[in-house]
Amino acid sequence: MWSGRSSFTSLVVGVFVVYVVHTCWVMYGIVYTRPCTGDANCIQPYLALRPKLQLSVYTTTRSSLGAENNVDLVLNVEDFDVESKFERTVNVSVPRKTRNNGTLYAYIFLHHTGMLPWHDGKQVHLVSPLTTYMIPKPEEINLLMGETAVQPQIEAEKKPSSALDEPVSHWRPRLTLNVMVDDFVFDGSSLPADVHRYMKMIQLGKTVHYLPILFIDQLSNRVKDLMVINRSTTELPLTVCYDKISLGRLRFWIHMQDAVYSLQQFGFSEKDADEVKGIFVDTNLYFLALTFFVAAFHLLFDFLAFKNDISFWKKKKSMIGMSTKAVLWRCFSTVVIFLFLLDEQTSLLVLVPAGVGAAIELWKVKKALKMTVAWQGLRPVLQFGTYSESERKTEEYDTQAMKYLSYLLYPLCVGGAVYSLLNIRYKSWYSWLINSFVNGVYAFGFLFMLPQLFVNYKMKSVAHLPWKAFTYKAFNTFIDDVFAFIITMPTSHRLACFRDDVVFLVYLYQRWHILPHCGSVSGGGHSTASSGCRPGPQGLCVLQSLWQGLLSAGVSG
C-alpha cells in the first residue's frame, strides 16, 4: 500500500510523462500540415505561377503608412528570386525625431517588378521597428584611479546621473526576412491559425490563391547587437538578410516568437527574453529538440531533489556526522551567488532557481544550528539548542578541518580581491565586493567540501548524508553542463557548473572507499542492507546502491 507521499511523487512523475507526450504531439502538429486533397475549397500558392517580384524596404517614423509621403527607400532588389539567399548592408539616415528618443519603422514590401508598392493590388508587406528602448549598461570605472573605458561616442555626450536609469533608444542593426517557398496547397476549411494571419488571398478566375507569405524573423534580434542612438548620430548601418523558409519551420518560428512575446507580456524584460531567443537562434532544430528533453528531465530532477532534500532536513534531529561549517558555507555561497547574478542582471531563467536555492540553504542553517526565535515583547531573541556528545565530537572534527583550510583559503581570497581591485573596472564598490566574494566562491568553493570529507573519514561513515537528494542533484550537474553552452551567463558561473562534476566524483569516490557493504541509504540518512546484493567489488556496489536509490524514488519519494 503506497503512502500519501509516494502517491504524490508518482502523480508528479505521471504528470511529467503526460506533459512530454503532449508536447511531442503538439510539436508534430506544428511541423506537419495536412494538405488539401480535393479540388473544392483548396487555396493554391501564387508563387506557383512564377511571377516577377521586387523587394523594397522603406523607413519612416510613422507606425501606419497610408501613402508614399515621408518615407525613405533604403533597399530595392529588382528581379527578386525567392530561392536565392542574400545579405546586404545599407546606411540608414536617422531622423531627428528618432535621435530624440523616438522610434523608426521599416516597411518591407514584396510586389511586382516595375510597379510601386502603393499601386500594386497584389503586394504583401510587413512592418518592423528598427529601434527598441532599453536602460543603457552602467558605466564601469577603476575604483582606485577613477578611469573609465567608455566608447568615444558616449564620451561626446555627458548625461546627468539621473538619466542613467531611463530607457533610451537602441538601434537594431539586423533585419532578417523570409518567404515561404513551398508549393503547398492549403485546405480552406482547416487553415492553421498561426499561418492564416500572415496570408493574403486573391481570386484568379475560379481559383483562390494566397500571395507570397512574408515573414520577419524577430528572434534574430539579440540584445548584444544593439547600439545606443545618440543625438549626434545621423546614419546607422542596417544589415538586411534574406533566406527562404519551409512551411514547417515557418509555423515553428511563429510559435516561438509568440512564446517570447508572451514572456514579455508577463513581465520579462527584453534581456530575459533575449536568453530564450538565444536558445532558438544559436542552435539547430535537432539540438533544440534535445535541449527540450534535457530541460524536461532537469525540471523533474530539480523537483525530486528539492523534495527529498527538504524531507531529509525536515526529519533531521541530530547533526551527527554532518559538517555544520559546510552547511554555513553552502548558505553563504548560494546567497553570494544570488546577489552576484542579481547585480549582473542575469536572466530570470538562472536567477529564480538561484533565489529558491538560497532560501532553502537559509532554512538548513536554522535546522543545523537548532535555532529558534523567541519573542520578548516586541523584540525577537535567537535561541540555540544543545548538542549531544556525538554531535560535539563531529563539531570537533569540523573545527579541526576548518582550521587547516583557513591557512590556504583566506590568503587566496584576499589576494584575488586585491588583484581585481587594481586591474578590473567595476560599476561600484558594492559590485567589487560581490564580485570578490563570488570569485572566491567559484574558484575555491570546492575546498569547503573538505570539512565534510574530513568528518566522513574520521567517522568512517557516509550514511548520514542525504544520498537520494544528492543523486538527483548529481544528475542535474551533468545537465547543467549542457545548459552552460546554451543560456548566457557569467563565465565564472559557467565554470562552476563543471566544478560541480568534480565535487560529485569526489563524493562518489569516498562512498566507494568507505562503504563496507552493498546497501541503500534512506532519505533520512540511515543505511539499510540490500537483500539482492552479493559481495563483490565495492565500485560496482556503489553503482548498484545508487541505482537502487533511483528505482526506489518513485515509491519512497
Side-chain angles (χ1 to χ4, degrees), residues 329-346:
W329 168 249
R330 280 197 301 270
C331 177
F332 174 78
S333 300
T334 53
V335 171
V336 165
I337 290 173
F338 173 73
L339 294 176
F340 168 69
L341 296 175
L342 192 63
D343 184 63
E344 291 290 320
Q345 298 179 347
T346 308

PDB file of all heavy atoms in Angstrom, residues 329-346:
ATOM      1  N   TRP A 329      28.737  27.357   4.977  1.00  0.00           N
ATOM      2  CA  TRP A 329      29.419  27.821   3.775  1.00  0.00           C
ATOM      3  C   TRP A 329      28.511  27.722   2.554  1.00  0.00           C
ATOM      4  O   TRP A 329      28.485  28.622   1.720  1.00  0.00           O
ATOM      5  CB  TRP A 329      30.686  27.010   3.563  1.00  0.00           C
ATOM      6  CG  TRP A 329      31.271  27.234   2.189  1.00  0.00           C
ATOM      7  CD1 TRP A 329      31.324  26.356   1.162  1.00  0.00           C
ATOM      8  CD2 TRP A 329      31.849  28.455   1.703  1.00  0.00           C
ATOM      9  NE1 TRP A 329      31.901  26.931   0.061  1.00  0.00           N
ATOM     10  CE2 TRP A 329      32.235  28.227   0.364  1.00  0.00           C
ATOM     11  CE3 TRP A 329      32.071  29.710   2.268  1.00  0.00           C
ATOM     12  CZ2 TRP A 329      32.832  29.201  -0.407  1.00  0.00           C
ATOM     13  CZ3 TRP A 329      32.667  30.678   1.486  1.00  0.00           C
ATOM     14  CH2 TRP A 329      33.042  30.418   0.167  1.00  0.00           C
ATOM     15  N   ARG A 330      27.750  26.614   2.452  1.00  0.00           N
ATOM     16  CA  ARG A 330      26.839  26.488   1.321  1.00  0.00           C
ATOM     17  C   ARG A 330      25.789  27.595   1.337  1.00  0.00           C
ATOM     18  O   ARG A 330      25.413  28.121   0.299  1.00  0.00           O
ATOM     19  CB  ARG A 330      26.167  25.109   1.330  1.00  0.00           C
ATOM     20  CG  ARG A 330      27.021  23.996   0.773  1.00  0.00           C
ATOM     21  CD  ARG A 330      26.194  22.777   0.427  1.00  0.00           C
ATOM     22  NE  ARG A 330      25.469  22.256   1.585  1.00  0.00           N
ATOM     23  CZ  ARG A 330      25.939  21.346   2.416  1.00  0.00           C
ATOM     24  NH1 ARG A 330      27.162  20.858   2.227  1.00  0.00           N
ATOM     25  NH2 ARG A 330      25.218  20.930   3.438  1.00  0.00           N
ATOM     26  N   CYS A 331      25.334  27.947   2.533  1.00  0.00           N
ATOM     27  CA  CYS A 331      24.361  29.040   2.644  1.00  0.00           C
ATOM     28  C   CYS A 331      24.986  30.357   2.202  1.00  0.00           C
ATOM     29  O   CYS A 331      24.397  31.104   1.407  1.00  0.00           O
ATOM     30  CB  CYS A 331      23.864  29.136   4.080  1.00  0.00           C
ATOM     31  SG  CYS A 331      22.714  30.497   4.378  1.00  0.00           S
ATOM     32  N   PHE A 332      26.185  30.641   2.705  1.00  0.00           N
ATOM     33  CA  PHE A 332      26.876  31.878   2.313  1.00  0.00           C
ATOM     34  C   PHE A 332      27.132  31.901   0.808  1.00  0.00           C
ATOM     35  O   PHE A 332      26.942  32.924   0.140  1.00  0.00           O
ATOM     36  CB  PHE A 332      28.196  31.981   3.087  1.00  0.00           C
ATOM     37  CG  PHE A 332      29.060  33.130   2.654  1.00  0.00           C
ATOM     38  CD1 PHE A 332      28.775  34.421   3.063  1.00  0.00           C
ATOM     39  CD2 PHE A 332      30.164  32.918   1.840  1.00  0.00           C
ATOM     40  CE1 PHE A 332      29.568  35.489   2.666  1.00  0.00           C
ATOM     41  CE2 PHE A 332      30.966  33.971   1.442  1.00  0.00           C
ATOM     42  CZ  PHE A 332      30.668  35.259   1.854  1.00  0.00           C
ATOM     43  N   SER A 333      27.543  30.781   0.243  1.00  0.00           N
ATOM     44  CA  SER A 333      27.858  30.697  -1.186  1.00  0.00           C
ATOM     45  C   SER A 333      26.630  30.961  -2.042  1.00  0.00           C
ATOM     46  O   SER A 333      26.683  31.739  -3.002  1.00  0.00           O
ATOM     47  CB  SER A 333      28.442  29.319  -1.524  1.00  0.00           C
ATOM     48  OG  SER A 333      29.620  29.071  -0.796  1.00  0.00           O
ATOM     49  N   THR A 334      25.515  30.301  -1.705  1.00  0.00           N
ATOM     50  CA  THR A 334      24.320  30.463  -2.530  1.00  0.00           C
ATOM     51  C   THR A 334      23.767  31.883  -2.440  1.00  0.00           C
ATOM     52  O   THR A 334      23.290  32.432  -3.446  1.00  0.00           O
ATOM     53  CB  THR A 334      23.230  29.460  -2.109  1.00  0.00           C
ATOM     54  OG1 THR A 334      23.001  29.564  -0.690  1.00  0.00           O
ATOM     55  CG2 THR A 334      23.644  28.041  -2.442  1.00  0.00           C
ATOM     56  N   VAL A 335      23.835  32.498  -1.260  1.00  0.00           N
ATOM     57  CA  VAL A 335      23.364  33.885  -1.122  1.00  0.00           C
ATOM     58  C   VAL A 335      24.255  34.828  -1.924  1.00  0.00           C
ATOM     59  O   VAL A 335      23.766  35.731  -2.628  1.00  0.00           O
ATOM     60  CB  VAL A 335      23.313  34.291   0.363  1.00  0.00           C
ATOM     61  CG1 VAL A 335      23.034  35.786   0.501  1.00  0.00           C
ATOM     62  CG2 VAL A 335      22.247  33.496   1.102  1.00  0.00           C
ATOM     63  N   VAL A 336      25.579  34.642  -1.846  1.00  0.00           N
ATOM     64  CA  VAL A 336      26.507  35.499  -2.590  1.00  0.00           C
ATOM     65  C   VAL A 336      26.305  35.322  -4.092  1.00  0.00           C
ATOM     66  O   VAL A 336      26.290  36.302  -4.850  1.00  0.00           O
ATOM     67  CB  VAL A 336      27.960  35.178  -2.183  1.00  0.00           C
ATOM     68  CG1 VAL A 336      28.943  35.785  -3.179  1.00  0.00           C
ATOM     69  CG2 VAL A 336      28.249  35.716  -0.791  1.00  0.00           C
ATOM     70  N   ILE A 337      26.137  34.079  -4.535  1.00  0.00           N
ATOM     71  CA  ILE A 337      25.924  33.830  -5.963  1.00  0.00           C
ATOM     72  C   ILE A 337      24.623  34.484  -6.430  1.00  0.00           C
ATOM     73  O   ILE A 337      24.553  35.074  -7.515  1.00  0.00           O
ATOM     74  CB  ILE A 337      25.916  32.317  -6.247  1.00  0.00           C
ATOM     75  CG1 ILE A 337      27.328  31.746  -6.059  1.00  0.00           C
ATOM     76  CG2 ILE A 337      25.395  32.018  -7.646  1.00  0.00           C
ATOM     77  CD1 ILE A 337      27.395  30.240  -6.159  1.00  0.00           C
ATOM     78  N   PHE A 338      23.591  34.402  -5.602  1.00  0.00           N
ATOM     79  CA  PHE A 338      22.317  35.036  -5.958  1.00  0.00           C
ATOM     80  C   PHE A 338      22.481  36.552  -6.084  1.00  0.00           C
ATOM     81  O   PHE A 338      21.987  37.168  -7.043  1.00  0.00           O
ATOM     82  CB  PHE A 338      21.261  34.697  -4.914  1.00  0.00           C
ATOM     83  CG  PHE A 338      19.968  35.437  -5.096  1.00  0.00           C
ATOM     84  CD1 PHE A 338      19.102  35.115  -6.135  1.00  0.00           C
ATOM     85  CD2 PHE A 338      19.610  36.469  -4.233  1.00  0.00           C
ATOM     86  CE1 PHE A 338      17.912  35.798  -6.317  1.00  0.00           C
ATOM     87  CE2 PHE A 338      18.426  37.155  -4.409  1.00  0.00           C
ATOM     88  CZ  PHE A 338      17.579  36.814  -5.452  1.00  0.00           C
ATOM     89  N   LEU A 339      23.183  37.178  -5.129  1.00  0.00           N
ATOM     90  CA  LEU A 339      23.400  38.624  -5.189  1.00  0.00           C
ATOM     91  C   LEU A 339      24.256  39.002  -6.396  1.00  0.00           C
ATOM     92  O   LEU A 339      24.046  40.046  -7.027  1.00  0.00           O
ATOM     93  CB  LEU A 339      24.056  39.116  -3.893  1.00  0.00           C
ATOM     94  CG  LEU A 339      23.204  38.999  -2.622  1.00  0.00           C
ATOM     95  CD1 LEU A 339      24.015  39.424  -1.406  1.00  0.00           C
ATOM     96  CD2 LEU A 339      21.933  39.827  -2.739  1.00  0.00           C
ATOM     97  N   PHE A 340      25.221  38.149  -6.731  1.00  0.00           N
ATOM     98  CA  PHE A 340      26.079  38.399  -7.892  1.00  0.00           C
ATOM     99  C   PHE A 340      25.268  38.332  -9.192  1.00  0.00           C
ATOM    100  O   PHE A 340      25.387  39.202 -10.064  1.00  0.00           O
ATOM    101  CB  PHE A 340      27.208  37.379  -7.923  1.00  0.00           C
ATOM    102  CG  PHE A 340      27.985  37.349  -9.210  1.00  0.00           C
ATOM    103  CD1 PHE A 340      28.808  38.399  -9.569  1.00  0.00           C
ATOM    104  CD2 PHE A 340      27.881  36.268 -10.068  1.00  0.00           C
ATOM    105  CE1 PHE A 340      29.519  38.372 -10.756  1.00  0.00           C
ATOM    106  CE2 PHE A 340      28.585  36.224 -11.252  1.00  0.00           C
ATOM    107  CZ  PHE A 340      29.412  37.288 -11.598  1.00  0.00           C
ATOM    108  N   LEU A 341      24.443  37.309  -9.330  1.00  0.00           N
ATOM    109  CA  LEU A 341      23.610  37.184 -10.527  1.00  0.00           C
ATOM    110  C   LEU A 341      22.626  38.340 -10.625  1.00  0.00           C
ATOM    111  O   LEU A 341      22.326  38.824 -11.722  1.00  0.00           O
ATOM    112  CB  LEU A 341      22.856  35.847 -10.507  1.00  0.00           C
ATOM    113  CG  LEU A 341      23.728  34.586 -10.565  1.00  0.00           C
ATOM    114  CD1 LEU A 341      22.863  33.344 -10.416  1.00  0.00           C
ATOM    115  CD2 LEU A 341      24.511  34.529 -11.861  1.00  0.00           C
ATOM    116  N   LEU A 342      22.138  38.807  -9.467  1.00  0.00           N
ATOM    117  CA  LEU A 342      21.239  39.952  -9.445  1.00  0.00           C
ATOM    118  C   LEU A 342      21.966  41.215  -9.888  1.00  0.00           C
ATOM    119  O   LEU A 342      21.436  42.035 -10.648  1.00  0.00           O
ATOM    120  CB  LEU A 342      20.658  40.125  -8.040  1.00  0.00           C
ATOM    121  CG  LEU A 342      19.486  41.090  -7.869  1.00  0.00           C
ATOM    122  CD1 LEU A 342      18.281  40.605  -8.659  1.00  0.00           C
ATOM    123  CD2 LEU A 342      19.127  41.231  -6.392  1.00  0.00           C
ATOM    124  N   ASP A 343      23.210  41.392  -9.435  1.00  0.00           N
ATOM    125  CA  ASP A 343      24.000  42.562  -9.799  1.00  0.00           C
ATOM    126  C   ASP A 343      24.368  42.548 -11.277  1.00  0.00           C
ATOM    127  O   ASP A 343      24.457  43.605 -11.915  1.00  0.00           O
ATOM    128  CB  ASP A 343      25.272  42.607  -8.946  1.00  0.00           C
ATOM    129  CG  ASP A 343      26.107  43.848  -9.203  1.00  0.00           C
ATOM    130  OD1 ASP A 343      25.601  44.961  -8.937  1.00  0.00           O
ATOM    131  OD2 ASP A 343      27.251  43.712  -9.676  1.00  0.00           O
ATOM    132  N   GLU A 344      24.562  41.351 -11.847  1.00  0.00           N
ATOM    133  CA  GLU A 344      24.917  41.222 -13.263  1.00  0.00           C
ATOM    134  C   GLU A 344      23.691  41.266 -14.171  1.00  0.00           C
ATOM    135  O   GLU A 344      23.827  41.138 -15.388  1.00  0.00           O
ATOM    136  CB  GLU A 344      25.667  39.904 -13.485  1.00  0.00           C
ATOM    137  CG  GLU A 344      27.045  39.868 -12.877  1.00  0.00           C
ATOM    138  CD  GLU A 344      28.017  40.766 -13.598  1.00  0.00           C
ATOM    139  OE1 GLU A 344      27.979  40.814 -14.840  1.00  0.00           O
ATOM    140  OE2 GLU A 344      28.802  41.456 -12.922  1.00  0.00           O
ATOM    141  N   GLN A 345      22.498  41.395 -13.585  1.00  0.00           N
ATOM    142  CA  GLN A 345      21.249  41.428 -14.346  1.00  0.00           C
ATOM    143  C   GLN A 345      21.118  40.190 -15.225  1.00  0.00           C
ATOM    144  O   GLN A 345      20.793  40.249 -16.405  1.00  0.00           O
ATOM    145  CB  GLN A 345      21.161  42.694 -15.194  1.00  0.00           C
ATOM    146  CG  GLN A 345      21.167  43.971 -14.381  1.00  0.00           C
ATOM    147  CD  GLN A 345      21.105  45.234 -15.242  1.00  0.00           C
ATOM    148  OE1 GLN A 345      21.298  45.172 -16.446  1.00  0.00           O
ATOM    149  NE2 GLN A 345      20.842  46.361 -14.605  1.00  0.00           N
ATOM    150  N   THR A 346      21.372  39.035 -14.603  1.00  0.00           N
ATOM    151  CA  THR A 346      21.321  37.762 -15.311  1.00  0.00           C
ATOM    152  C   THR A 346      19.872  37.399 -15.620  1.00  0.00           C
ATOM    153  O   THR A 346      18.941  37.888 -14.984  1.00  0.00           O
ATOM    154  CB  THR A 346      21.978  36.669 -14.449  1.00  0.00           C
ATOM    155  OG1 THR A 346      23.277  37.114 -14.043  1.00  0.00           O
ATOM    156  CG2 THR A 346      22.136  35.374 -15.216  1.00  0.00           C
TER     157      THR A 346
END
